[in-house]
């Protein structure tokens, strides 16, 4: 069947060691296979593998213009996978989106970030909000330090204001940012932890659960790195 052939082709690509960069001709052969693999009705492993390969394209391509040629086709199905019921599929799709945006040099960043922020706050399901939160963090991470410094305060503020669904989405983003943002997150740890802890008594179970996850992730991030600078006036 076509689905089995797609899965087999993706396995072959995943196990291929590329000795030179891909050009536009090679990409024209690979892209249709990836797009079939990214369809939502595929098996989870097929979708995950296709998303992983899609996220590897910027590192494999010869030129940025080759990434720009394929990204518009790859981004919509990757966005759709952010609402997949399987966490590993969502996480891989989020990383792939970040890699593609980074490979474009930030050209698609403003529109993508706005779209992900909206889905993170207003998504109709917790899964959709969580997927958008993961992707936002990955996109911002790919854009570099200036983008991190600009986005983290907005995520932190969103954890403590707005409707429950919006706070939940921002808390999921905060949990992911704790590991993804590294030193930037550790430098702001007291502020970030305060935001998470403030929602442990929230009215919605989903917000309390997300706050617990964010607090645990921040604590783990602090333990992995050097101690953060103390806040004004003393310790935590």
């Amino acid at each position: 069947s076509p689905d089995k052939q797609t899965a087999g082709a993706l396995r072959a690509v995943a196990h291929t060691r590329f000795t030179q960069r891909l050009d536009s001709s090679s990409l024209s052969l690979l892209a249709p296979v990836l797009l079939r693999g990214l369809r939502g009705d595929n098996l989870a492993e097929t979708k995950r593998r296709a998303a992983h390969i899609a996220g590897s394209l910027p590192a494999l391509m010869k030129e940025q213009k080759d990434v720009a040629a394929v990204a518009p086709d790859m981004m919509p199905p990757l966005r759709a996978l952010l609402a997949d019921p399987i966490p590993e599929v969502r996480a891989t799709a989020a990383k792939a989106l970040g890699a593609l945006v980074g490979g474009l040099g930030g050209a698609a960043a403003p529109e993508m970030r706005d779209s992900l922020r909206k889905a993170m706050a207003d998504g109709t399901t917790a899964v959709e909000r969580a997927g958008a939160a993961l992707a936002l963090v990955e996109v911002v991470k790919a854009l570099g330090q200036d983008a991190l410094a600009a986005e983290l305060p907005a995520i932190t503020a969103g954890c403590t204001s707005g409707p429950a669904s919006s706070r939940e989405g921002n808390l999921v983003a905060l949990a992911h940012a704790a590991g993804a943002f590294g030193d930037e997150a550790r430098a702001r740890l007291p502020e970030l932890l305060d935001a998470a802890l403030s929602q442990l008594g929230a009215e919605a179970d989903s917000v309390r659960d997300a706050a617990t996850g964010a607090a645990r992730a921040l604590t783990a991030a602090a333990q992995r790195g050097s101690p953060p600078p103390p806040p004004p006036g003393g310790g935590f």
Side-chain angles (χ1 to χ4, degrees), residues 3-82:
D3 288 346
K4 287 185 178 179
Q5 292 174 349
T6 298
L10 290 171
R11 280 195 298 272
V13 172
H15 289 92
T16 298
R17 182 176 180 179
F18 292 92
T19 58
Q20 57 185 2
R21 301 276 184 168
L22 298 178
D23 57 18
S24 57
S25 297
S26 302
L27 186 60
S28 69
L29 298 174
L30 179 58
V33 179
L34 289 180
L35 290 171
R36 287 198 299 272
L38 292 171
R39 289 196 325 234
D41 58 351
N42 283 317
L43 294 174
E45 182 57 24
T46 299
K47 291 181 286 188
R48 188 203 63 76
R49 184 172 281 125
H52 177 76
I53 296 170
S56 300
L57 289 178
L60 296 173
M61 302 306 298
K62 277 185 175 180
E63 300 181 34
Q64 189 181 72
K65 66 181 179 63
D66 294 326
V67 180
V70 72
D73 291 330
M74 296 291 170
M75 285 183 172
L78 286 169
R79 278 295 312 269
L81 290 184
L82 296 178

Side-chain angles (χ1 to χ4, degrees), residues 117-133:
R117 287 190 197 105
K118 179 172 176 56
M120 181 176 74
D122 303 331
T124 55
T125 68
V127 167
E128 183 181 350
R129 293 190 293 272

Side-chain angles (χ1 to χ4, degrees), residues 132-145:
L134 294 180
L136 177 63
V137 171
E138 292 293 341
V139 166
V140 171
K141 179 183 176 182
L143 294 175
Q145 195 65 30

Side-chain angles (χ1 to χ4, degrees), residues 31-213:
V33 179
L34 289 180
L35 290 171
R36 287 198 299 272
L38 292 171
R39 289 196 325 234
D41 58 351
N42 283 317
L43 294 174
E45 182 57 24
T46 299
K47 291 181 286 188
R48 188 203 63 76
R49 184 172 281 125
H52 177 76
I53 296 170
S56 300
L57 289 178
L60 296 173
M61 302 306 298
K62 277 185 175 180
E63 300 181 34
Q64 189 181 72
K65 66 181 179 63
D66 294 326
V67 180
V70 72
D73 291 330
M74 296 291 170
M75 285 183 172
L78 286 169
R79 278 295 312 269
L81 290 184
L82 296 178
D84 194 89
I86 306 300
E88 292 82 1
V89 174
R90 295 198 301 272
T92 307
K95 287 181 180 295
L97 280 170
L100 287 173
V101 170
L104 292 172
E111 181 180 349
M112 177 65 69
R113 287 166 71 178
D114 289 345
S115 174
L116 292 171
R117 287 190 197 105
K118 179 172 176 56
M120 181 176 74
D122 303 331
T124 55
T125 68
V127 167
E128 183 181 350
R129 293 190 293 272
L134 294 180
L136 177 63
V137 171
E138 292 293 341
V139 166
V140 171
K141 179 183 176 182
L143 294 175
Q145 195 65 30
D146 289 345
L148 297 182
E151 193 69 38
L152 198 50
I155 292 174
T156 307
C159 292
T160 59
S161 62
S165 61
S166 178
R167 282 178 282 142
E168 175 198 331
N170 278 278
L171 284 161
V172 173
L174 186 60
H176 192 50
F181 289 2
D183 291 342
E184 183 69 29
R186 283 191 288 271
R188 293 173 170 266
L189 185 61
E191 173 191 355
L192 305 184
L193 195 53
D194 279 349
L197 294 176
S198 73
Q199 297 303 301
L200 292 178
E203 72 286 358
D205 289 345
S206 61
V207 177
R208 294 197 298 272
D209 290 344
T212 300

